[in-house]
Amino acid sequence: TSSPWGSVAPAAPACSLADVMSEQLARQLDEENNAFPTLTESGADLLSDEAPDTTSDLMLAQMLQMQFDREFDNQLRREEKKFNGDSKVSISFENYRMVHPYEDSDSSEDEVDWQDTRHDPYRAEKPQTTPRKGFTGKGKNITTKHDEETCGRKNTARMDNFAPEVHVGDGLGMDLKLSNQVFNSLKQHCYSEQRRSAKLHEKKEHSTAEQAVDPRTRLLMYKMVNSGVLENINGCISTGKESVVFHADGGSMEEQPVPDEVVLKVFKTTLNEFKNRDRYIKDDYRFKDRFSKLNPRKIIRLWAEKEMHNLGRMKKAEIPCPEVVLLKKHILVMSFIGKDHVPAPKLKDAILGLEDLKTAYYQVLHMMQQLYQECNLVHADLSEYNMLWHEGKVWLIDVSQSIEPTHPHGLEFLFRDCRNVATFFQKRGVSEAMSVYELFNAVTGLNIPVGEEDEAEFIAEIVALEKRNEDHVQRRGKKTFPVASEDGSPPLQPDAHD
């Protein structure tokens, strides 16, 4: 039958094993192999110059692997570029690269690495090191580690370890020898300069100077402008012992309206003035638990927070004072007392007639009674410098140091306030001004007997009263001495004593 795949080639004649193993057949196959032309020597040389030796299977495999790795790395770079796109934050696929270390090196062996200082011509020769036993040589030629020349060369070499800003000069070609005394003096001077530089930098970065602010405070002020609380900050109004006051144009807040003109009271972060003012806050029970001797910068924030709370009490009692807008760390934003960027004058600088002075005196007296009786506060720094005259009335400012009468020295501070107020108005010719003792009794309602104008005896009575109340204050947190009526009536007259 015919095959569907067409004609089939005839099968090769079968040969026996004896024919395969015969020598005649082997010679025939060898002759057939020698019939092919062989490469000339010149052709073999040309091939060896153009292509690497491929006779070794290992070399061939390495070449193929390297070509594969190179193609893989190129594909990886394309994938990385496509994945990252134009993003500012990119992801690297370098850890997945297959390239061999020596393939990525662009520098040739002949290229000089200028960072290598092993053969630096300008580098001083190293001094000869002393063996561990402490000396070299023998007999008369023995040299110990304390040798003057050896130590001098060592000290010169050790000057390279000084800070970069210390210019040690170039001693190339000079056999310099520094004595131990000179080297130690230079070393101590270098350390002192480094500490002084660091201290100045720290003070500059973290301090509020007379009319300047540190970078942290400046950043807080910028944030207030950026958030819209303030439109802009115009400039410095005044500086005091504890703060710098700036004028600013108000912006807007969701929680409450912001006045058109505000002030920023920036409490100074220099700690010189606060070291001797701890007594105003460490014995105030409202802040006693949070007061820390070990962290003075937090005390400064407490001062700002304390002024905010005191102003809040005064506002409830309707005492004329700035209105708090915002507290941010050690920056207190308040309403501006003045008009058109012009601050109201201090009572000391205000030009007032006798009638206005008399009105101001009774206003101050009434405010002191309100502070003591309604707000439960003592100003503790009341004087003509901390009272402003605006719109025909007196305004109280600077109440960060104000304390409660239960403070161990509260009545002493109040007596000092009374002395300042009485002295000012008496000097201005207000005949109605009471003496300091009468004013103190009028404010407190304690009616301490007044001797023959003996201040020491009067203060002794005050101190004794404070001591009697101190234990009770610690247990109850309330005054035991009586207070005057809280109806805000005209000046209280002291009781008569026999």
Side-chain angles (χ1 to χ4, degrees):
T1 59
S2 61
S3 172
W5 292 280
S7 60
V8 181
C15 60
S16 63
L17 180 61
D19 294 339
V20 173
M21 299 300 295
S22 66
E23 295 182 4
Q24 184 180 0
L25 182 59
R27 283 195 297 270
Q28 182 181 350
L29 291 175
D30 191 29
E31 290 175 2
E32 289 178 0
N33 288 335
N34 292 332
F36 291 103
T38 58
L39 287 174
T40 61
E41 291 296 327
S42 60
D45 294 341
L46 183 64
L47 183 62
S48 64
D49 290 342
E50 292 181 354
D53 183 18
T54 57
T55 55
S56 170
D57 291 342
L58 175 62
M59 180 64 69
L60 186 62
Q62 288 177 342
M63 291 169 59
L64 291 174
Q65 182 65 42
M66 191 176 297
Q67 181 66 26
F68 173 80
D69 291 344
R70 199 176 284 119
E71 292 176 2
F72 177 81
D73 291 340
N74 292 335
Q75 178 65 22
L76 200 64
R77 289 191 184 95
R78 287 192 291 270
E79 291 288 338
E80 180 182 339
K81 188 174 180 181
K82 180 180 177 182
F83 184 83
N84 291 325
D86 298 329
S87 175
K88 292 183 179 180
V89 180
S90 60
I91 296 177
S92 174
F93 293 168
E94 287 295 318
N95 291 341
Y96 300 98
R97 291 181 60 187
M98 304 292 291
V99 75
H100 296 274
Y102 54 83
E103 282 293 299
D104 239 8
S105 176
D106 296 331
S107 61
S108 63
E109 293 181 1
D110 298 334
E111 188 177 350
V112 178
D113 183 8
W114 293 108
Q115 298 298 321
D116 186 6
T117 57
R118 285 174 297 180
H119 305 291
D120 186 1
Y122 297 100
R123 188 176 180 87
E125 293 184 6
K126 283 189 176 182
Q128 185 177 1
T129 57
T130 308
R132 185 174 295 179
K133 60 185 177 180
F135 64 91
T136 57
K138 293 181 179 180
K140 295 181 180 180
N141 299 324
I142 191 168
T143 303
T144 67
K145 62 181 180 180
H146 303 293
D147 182 68
E148 187 176 353
E149 290 192 3
T150 304
C151 287
R153 292 192 180 98
K154 278 185 180 180
N155 292 337
T156 304
R158 285 162 64 187
M159 285 206 314
D160 290 343
N161 299 328
F162 286 174
E165 59 267 18
V166 178
H167 302 291
V168 296
D170 182 13
L172 181 64
M174 301 171 62
D175 188 15
L176 295 177
K177 294 183 278 291
L178 284 182
S179 66
N180 290 342
Q181 183 180 1
V182 174
F183 175 76
N184 289 335
S185 299
L186 287 174
K187 182 180 176 182
Q188 187 62 38
H189 175 72
C190 178
Y191 288 162
S192 300
E193 286 296 309
Q194 281 184 288
R195 286 197 300 268
R196 189 178 67 85
S197 176
K199 188 182 295 184
L200 287 176
H201 179 73
E202 173 78 12
K203 187 174 182 181
K204 182 179 177 182
E205 288 292 317
H206 299 97
S207 64
T208 305
E210 281 301 313
Q211 295 192 17
V213 292
D214 60 301
R216 293 180 182 178
T217 305
R218 196 179 302 120
L219 183 61
L220 287 175
M221 295 164 73
Y222 287 156
K223 285 183 177 180
M224 289 182 186
V225 175
N226 291 338
S227 63
V229 177
L230 307 176
E231 284 293 331
N232 56 358
I233 300 172
N234 300 316
C236 180
I237 297 176
S238 67
T239 60
K241 293 180 293 184
E242 62 184 29
S243 63
V244 183
V245 180
F246 294 91
H247 179 276
D249 296 328
S252 60
M253 291 174 62
E254 295 181 359
E255 299 85 2
Q256 65 182 82
V258 180
D260 294 334
E261 292 184 84
V262 296
V263 293
L264 278 74
K265 187 170 184 178
V266 181
F267 285 82
K268 287 184 180 180
T269 52
T270 48
L271 306 175
N272 301 333
E273 297 295 337
F274 287 92
K275 288 179 181 177
N276 57 357
R277 293 170 70 88
D278 290 350
R279 58 178 183 162
Y280 288 96
I281 196 168
K282 71 178 181 181
D283 292 322
D284 193 328
Y285 78 92
R286 297 176 293 171
F287 303 94
K288 195 170 185 177
D289 294 337
R290 297 165 57 191
F291 179 82
S292 172
K293 259 287 192 185
L294 302 176
N295 196 341
R297 299 195 180 278
K298 290 188 178 179
I299 301 173
I300 297 168
R301 295 188 188 179
L302 283 185
W303 277 93
E305 185 180 336
K306 186 176 181 182
E307 175 147 10
M308 181 189 70
H309 289 309
N310 292 340
L311 286 173
R313 288 192 186 186
M314 294 167 64
K315 204 67 184 175
K316 286 182 180 178
E318 297 182 352
I319 297 176
C321 65
E323 184 177 351
V324 178
V325 178
L326 179 68
L327 172 65
K328 201 72 175 176
K329 292 187 178 178
H330 59 284
I331 300 180
L332 186 62
V333 183
M334 301 176 287
S335 58
F336 176 67
I337 301 176
K339 190 176 182 182
D340 297 332
H341 297 203
V342 180
K346 297 175 183 176
L347 198 57
K348 172 184 177 294
D349 302 324
I351 302 174
L352 303 177
L354 198 56
E355 285 299 318
D356 285 338
L357 280 172
K358 184 178 178 181
T359 304
Y361 173 72
Y362 282 112
Q363 284 182 2
V364 172
L365 181 56
H366 183 56
M367 284 192 293
M368 292 177 71
Q369 291 173 337
Q370 283 183 295
L371 267 178
Y372 186 83
Q373 299 164 11
E374 298 179 32
C375 304
N376 197 28
L377 287 175
V378 173
H379 192 285
D381 193 21
L382 188 62
S383 67
E384 61 271 22
Y385 295 93
N386 288 331
M387 292 184 281
L388 305 180
W389 181 259
H390 181 57
E391 296 178 348
K393 59 182 177 180
V394 179
W395 296 67
L396 288 184
I397 60 170
D398 192 12
V399 292
S400 59
Q401 74 288 325
S402 298
I403 55 175
E404 296 201 343
T406 55
H407 189 282
H409 303 285
L411 295 181
E412 295 174 60
F413 293 149
L414 178 59
F415 182 78
R416 189 177 63 188
D417 292 347
C418 293
R419 182 198 290 128
N420 293 338
V421 171
T423 303
F424 171 73
F425 284 104
Q426 285 171 359
K427 283 184 178 180
R428 289 297 179 98
V430 178
S431 58
E432 290 82 3
M434 293 182 284
S435 68
V436 57
Y437 313 106
E438 295 171 338
L439 183 58
F440 181 86
N441 285 331
V443 171
T444 61
L446 294 177
N447 300 318
I448 297 177
V450 180
E452 297 178 359
E453 302 296 320
D454 188 357
E455 182 175 327
E457 185 179 343
F458 195 87
I459 293 179
E461 288 283 340
I462 293 175
V463 173
L465 187 60
E466 287 175 338
K467 287 183 178 179
R468 283 200 304 269
N469 286 274
E470 188 170 355
D471 294 337
H472 185 79
V473 166
Q474 292 176 354
R475 292 194 303 267
R476 301 282 300 277
K478 296 181 181 180
K479 295 187 293 292
T480 59
F481 42 79
V483 296
S485 61
E486 301 182 2
D487 56 359
S489 54
L492 304 175
Q493 298 297 326
D495 296 340
H497 295 276
D498 296 334

